[in-house]
Amino acid sequence: MKRFIAGLVGLAGAATAVVALPVSSATAPAQAATVSFAAVDPVNALKRQFRTGRGVRLIETVRLDWKKNATTIRRKGTLQFGPSGVVAVDVVRRASSSRPVGKDNSVYVQHMINVDGKHYYCDVIPTDAHLPVSKSWVRASVDRPLQKWGTVFGDQEINVFEPATLALLLRASTHRLPDQGGIQYRGTITPAELRTASRSFRETTSFGSDGKEKPGKITWRLWVNNKGLVTRLVTRDAFADLIDDYASDTRYSDWGAKVTITAPPADQIIDEDDVDYSTTRQTPPNAVLEQPPSN
């Protein structure tokens, strides 16, 4: 099942909130203070967050419907910034399937850390039976785009931590509505348009078999607070014959929080190239508990 889910992430691109289907938002209370559009600059607000040792927390829920199989993915974690953007990530991702394939588990939980140019992952449920008893974490480089970018912005198609991508959304917005003291933007965007602005989208998605971009549009809604910082992003898309329906809902909080993300304990790490996938052990390793990152 993990290979199936990972494949969906590659085509498209864990937590407690539930995705709202269809995409919608509640009407703002009459007494809520509105914010002038001219007074809010989300792109510059994002850039000002790019400070060493500061970060943001996220909670995300994604739902994929494919051939009568519903997969729900929840992510919860912390991102750490540097002067140029995201430099480290610590997230827990939980995927559950309504119809597991073969003997695969219906629930798959993985803890992932990106830091200092390395990607670490720990299979929490089920544990990886190929690892030595004393090892829980596998270390790989972040040269592979799905590991690098997927950990940053998850199963959400749109990476709002890229200033150019955020600017594109704002330019493409067809409605801008006051929303509970902040601003709500909404609109649609094509994969081709997103590809022009988003490096992460270019590196994690592919063209169709005919060499042409798949048709379709991504419907999105973006909420920012009165400081211009993103608080929520909801997207919805259909991938023709690949996925019947796709919807994601990501919440962002604690912008500017002090964050220090470190690699897992060295004695629990094994390099990916050293894992012998031809053998399995009888005793499970000391797996990391399923819990959100503490940073």
Side-chain angles (χ1 to χ4, degrees):
M1 185 61 203
K2 73 175 72 174
R3 303 302 179 194
F4 166 71
I5 295 171
L8 290 181
V9 174
L11 293 169
T16 55
V18 177
V19 173
L21 300 174
V23 174
S24 63
S25 65
T27 303
Q31 69 273 19
T34 59
V35 178
S36 168
F37 295 116
V40 174
D41 187 342
V43 175
N44 281 332
L46 173 64
K47 292 179 179 178
R48 287 195 294 270
Q49 295 297 309
F50 293 164
R51 297 176 292 159
T52 301
R54 301 289 176 169
V56 65
R57 308 187 198 284
L58 65 81
I59 292 177
E60 178 178 277
T61 301
V62 174
R63 181 180 174 88
L64 302 167
D65 291 327
W66 181 69
K67 294 184 178 180
K68 298 182 180 180
N69 181 24
T71 298
T72 300
I73 302 170
R74 293 184 172 90
R75 299 173 76 251
K76 186 172 184 178
T78 303
L79 284 75
Q80 181 179 335
F81 296 129
S84 60
V86 178
V87 297
V89 186
D90 186 345
V91 296
V92 172
R93 181 179 185 269
R94 177 187 178 94
S96 57
S97 175
S98 61
R99 298 177 63 186
V101 178
K103 296 181 180 179
D104 288 345
N105 282 34
S106 60
V107 176
Y108 174 56
V109 180
Q110 188 176 65
H111 190 170
M112 296 173 285
I113 296 176
N114 278 10
V115 65
D116 296 331
K118 295 294 183 181
H119 174 77
Y120 304 86
Y121 57 93
C122 170
D123 289 345
V124 182
I125 301 175
T127 56
D128 192 338
H130 300 291
L131 303 187
V133 174
S134 61
K135 306 299 182 182
S136 299
W137 289 88
V138 178
R139 174 171 52 208
S141 70
V142 291
D143 295 337
R144 283 165 286 185
L146 283 181
Q147 290 183 334
K148 176 181 179 180
W149 295 116
T151 310
V152 172
F153 66 96
D155 301 278
Q156 176 71 265
E157 291 183 272
I158 298 174
N159 182 0
V160 296
F161 300 110
E162 294 174 319
T165 300
L166 186 56
L168 176 65
L169 293 185
L170 301 179
R171 291 196 302 270
S173 177
T174 55
H175 297 83
R176 299 191 299 177
L177 308 172
D179 186 73
Q180 301 185 29
I183 297 174
Q184 178 197 139
Y185 302 86
R186 62 181 180 179
T188 58
I189 189 171
T190 66
E193 291 170 332
L194 185 57
R195 185 182 295 275
T196 63
S198 174
R199 176 186 173 187
S200 59
F201 190 78
R202 288 193 298 272
E203 293 185 359
T204 56
T205 57
S206 60
F207 291 93
S209 58
D210 56 1
K212 298 180 180 180
E213 192 80 57
K214 287 293 183 181
K217 292 184 177 181
I218 302 167
T219 301
W220 58 269
R221 291 195 180 190
L222 180 77
W223 287 258
V224 303
N225 61 19
N226 55 13
K227 295 181 180 179
L229 296 171
V230 176
T231 58
R232 185 182 181 190
L233 173 65
V234 174
T235 61
R236 187 169 189 174
D237 194 10
F239 291 85
D241 57 331
L242 298 177
I243 300 175
D244 298 324
D245 195 20
Y246 170 97
S248 58
D249 187 344
T250 311
R251 315 275 180 131
Y252 309 89
S253 63
D254 295 334
W255 285 94
K258 292 183 179 180
V259 174
T260 302
I261 294 174
T262 59
D267 61 354
Q268 296 180 20
I269 299 172
I270 184 171
D271 284 316
E272 195 172 51
D273 291 341
D274 294 333
V275 179
D276 184 358
Y277 288 102
S278 66
T279 62
T280 59
R281 47 161 171 67
Q282 300 299 318
T283 305
N286 298 320
V288 176
L289 295 178
E290 182 189 350
Q291 59 185 4
S294 58
N295 289 310

